Amino acid sequence: MNFLRIYGRVLEMLGPDRRLGWFLAFANVALAMAQFAEPILFGRVVDTLGTAQAKGAANAWAELWPLLAAWVAFGLFTIVCGTLVALYADRLAHRRRHVVMTACFEHVFQLPLAFHGETHSGRLMKIILQGTDTLWGLWLSFFREHLASFVSLLVLLPLSLFINWRLAMLLIVLCGVFAFLTTLILRKTESLQRSIEGHYSDFAERASDALGNIALVQSFARVETEVTALKNVSAQLLAAQFPVLSWWAVVAVLTRASTTLTVLSIILLGTWLFLQGLVSIGEIVTFMAFAGMVIGRLEQTVSFANRMSMEAARLREFFDVLDAVPALRDRPDAVDPGRLIGRVEFKDVSFSYDGIRSAVADLNFTALPGETIALVGATGAGKSTALALLHRAFDPQSGCIMIDDMDIRGLKLASLRRNIGVVFQETLLFNRSIADNLLVGNPAATAAEMRDAAARAQALEFIERNDEGFDARVGERGRSLSGGERQRLSIARAFLKNPPILILDEATSALDAATESKVLAALDEVMKNRTTFVIAHRFATVRKATRILVFEGGRVVETGSFDELVKLGGRFAMLAKAQFMTADTKLPVAN
């Protein structure tokens, strides 16, 4: 994606504000045209005064006042038009910045978990925030400076040919040499700037990773190590940055040198042409003003090129994120089924994360409304993957999952997930109030309903111990709460959602024995009349399941009730002895 394509896409992102953008563009053109009048009128005034002096005319007002009046008119137009352009360009740039930032976050929220697993959140934040800041700056400078500069150069140079082609050719040649040298430097710095942006992203990712795991950093006395690592990344960044800065220092020298050389060349050539009778003093003055304008526009153009060189890599990263296609999207004919009953059926479902080894393979089972299905097996056996497929964290590569005899891929994603409540093994909480975290389950819940859900999840006691109650903030990732408190809030959130299908992924793993018994009683109540899937390694949870599915190598190798599987004496019986049964629990004797 070269500079022009990137810049074109930046302007495309003006979206519905393009009409205002076109208005500002035409205003810039008019502004640029009006600014050309000043040096031309200046030259005419000088020639008029010179002629009047040579003729000994005491009063040349008859010829001067139209020129001066035109000069005032163009000056007033430039002031008014410039003010309006600046005002509306600011408003347009700020408005679009916030619209694009919000849209980008919405897009990222919809990207699959695989994308987020491969891209660090700190890097993503850096890409989105810096990307939208860059867009804002480019929009603002485009309507304030860049467009006027480009138009000025395109109009000014050809116009100068009509005034005096000899001086104009000198001006065009000098501009061409300057543009050629600047282009060479741009090509030198483009690849270097890409490397610099990569180092910035690495720094943001490393710093965010350390802050997100601050307890680990402090408990393992890694403060010095992490700071040293950040210093190393910063040193690499500077090492890559210095060559670019050196090249742009050369551009700065070229710009200053070109100003001096252009003015001096016009004076020398203009003096010689005047002595030959080929140019008037007014034309020399006009070209002196033209030279100043051209140099000013060239400096703005170089500033634009410099900025694009430094920010092209940043914009490429931003557009790469924006162009990432969500793996899971609603089909054009997807429907909203409303509240589901909860009959779940897996039909020959297979899925692989890497396309080589199956995470689950040929899953076939049915869960009726009101049933509790326990999934057991060793770590990595495919239990969590199977349930992730149910709420469409991924889609299977083969087979299908049906709910109420409807393929879940034919349901709107939001409506499907509204019908499924999930209590994760790793408790996920926002750095907001307790009430805000509970309302994730049901944004329309009343204070009484939140209180009831918290009580049923055995969370009300610790909530009320805090002076702020439900308004207390839980800290980043819930760090101000204990593990058991975080898990109970997560369960209360699922209660509040009241879905027909419930997934409990080690939902009681962080609870002590006393609290677990209370929560299990509450879970018994909330499981009634809804389809519940439980991943657990504790006897009390598995024992009450309607049916148990034993996973091994991504497949269901045994299915039945607790007693049936123990009597079978197979894989589950061995797991039961190792994980579920306490020392004083006797297994039934196999037939």
Side-chain angles (χ1 to χ4, degrees), residues 375-431:
L375 284 67
V376 302
T379 301
K383 309 181 296 298
S384 294
T385 299
L387 297 186
L389 293 170
L390 175 58
H391 62 86
R392 287 197 75 191
F394 316 98
D395 275 338
Q397 276 97 24
S398 63
C400 65
I401 301 172
M402 313 288 288
I403 298 182
D404 297 351
D405 297 321
M406 294 180 288
D407 190 330
I408 62 174
R409 289 171 291 193
L411 307 180
K412 289 188 176 180
L413 195 57
S415 65
L416 170 69
R417 291 175 177 171
R418 278 196 296 268
N419 280 279
I420 300 176
V422 184
V423 179
F424 298 98
Q425 181 177 8
E426 179 188 358
T427 308
L428 305 174
L429 296 174
F430 292 114
N431 183 19

Side-chain angles (χ1 to χ4, degrees), residues 96-109:
R96 291 307 303 169
R97 174 193 186 186
H98 292 291
V99 169
V100 171
M101 184 188 301
T102 304
C104 189
F105 274 109
E106 180 182 3
H107 171 74
V108 168
F109 291 156

Side-chain angles (χ1 to χ4, degrees), residues 253-515:
V253 172
L254 281 175
T255 304
R256 294 190 184 95
S258 65
T259 304
T260 303
L261 289 173
T262 302
V263 172
L264 182 60
S265 299
I266 287 176
I267 291 175
L268 293 174
L269 180 60
T271 301
W272 184 81
L273 291 173
F274 177 77
L275 295 175
Q276 301 296 318
L278 298 174
V279 69
S280 69
I281 294 176
E283 289 175 340
I284 295 175
V285 171
T286 297
F287 270 88
M288 291 289 291
F290 274 179
M293 289 182 66
V294 168
I295 296 303
R297 297 297 183 258
L298 283 175
E299 286 179 345
Q300 290 177 347
T301 304
V302 169
S303 174
F304 158 73
N306 185 5
R307 186 169 187 172
M308 284 301 297
S309 176
M310 296 181 68
E311 294 179 344
R314 188 174 298 169
L315 286 172
R316 284 190 186 97
E317 284 188 329
F318 178 78
F319 288 135
D320 284 344
V321 170
L322 209 58
D323 292 339
V325 179
L328 301 174
R329 289 183 290 180
D330 289 335
R331 293 177 176 177
D333 59 347
V335 298
D336 183 347
R339 184 175 176 86
L340 297 168
I341 298 172
R343 185 182 189 277
V344 178
E345 186 176 4
F346 279 64
K347 293 183 176 181
D348 299 318
V349 173
S350 297
F351 175 77
S352 171
Y353 290 100
D354 57 11
I356 301 173
R357 186 176 64 87
S358 293
V360 295
D362 302 322
L363 293 184
N364 286 281
F365 64 86
T366 301
L368 301 177
E371 285 191 332
T372 298
I373 308 297
L375 284 67
V376 302
T379 301
K383 309 181 296 298
S384 294
T385 299
L387 297 186
L389 293 170
L390 175 58
H391 62 86
R392 287 197 75 191
F394 316 98
D395 275 338
Q397 276 97 24
S398 63
C400 65
I401 301 172
M402 313 288 288
I403 298 182
D404 297 351
D405 297 321
M406 294 180 288
D407 190 330
I408 62 174
R409 289 171 291 193
L411 307 180
K412 289 188 176 180
L413 195 57
S415 65
L416 170 69
R417 291 175 177 171
R418 278 196 296 268
N419 280 279
I420 300 176
V422 184
V423 179
F424 298 98
Q425 181 177 8
E426 179 188 358
T427 308
L428 305 174
L429 296 174
F430 292 114
N431 183 19
R432 301 168 193 171
S433 69
I434 290 174
D436 287 337
N437 277 282
L438 292 179
L439 288 173
V440 170
N442 180 7
T446 64
E449 288 170 335
M450 282 195 294
R451 187 179 181 83
D452 179 62
R456 293 169 70 190
Q458 307 298 313
L460 190 59
E461 180 185 354
F462 77 79
I463 293 174
E464 292 185 334
R465 279 202 308 265
N466 193 305
D467 294 337
E468 297 180 81
F470 283 87
D471 293 326
R473 295 182 73 88
V474 303
E476 186 177 1
R477 300 181 186 177
R479 283 180 181 151
S480 64
L481 304 176
S482 69
E485 289 170 344
R486 290 197 296 268
Q487 194 67 292
R488 279 178 276 172
L489 277 187
S490 181
I491 294 170
R493 184 169 58 195
F495 287 160
L496 204 58
K497 187 175 184 179
N498 190 30
I501 300 171
L502 186 64
I503 296 174
L504 306 175
D505 189 351
E506 291 284 6
T508 61
S509 61
L511 305 180
D512 56 71
T515 305

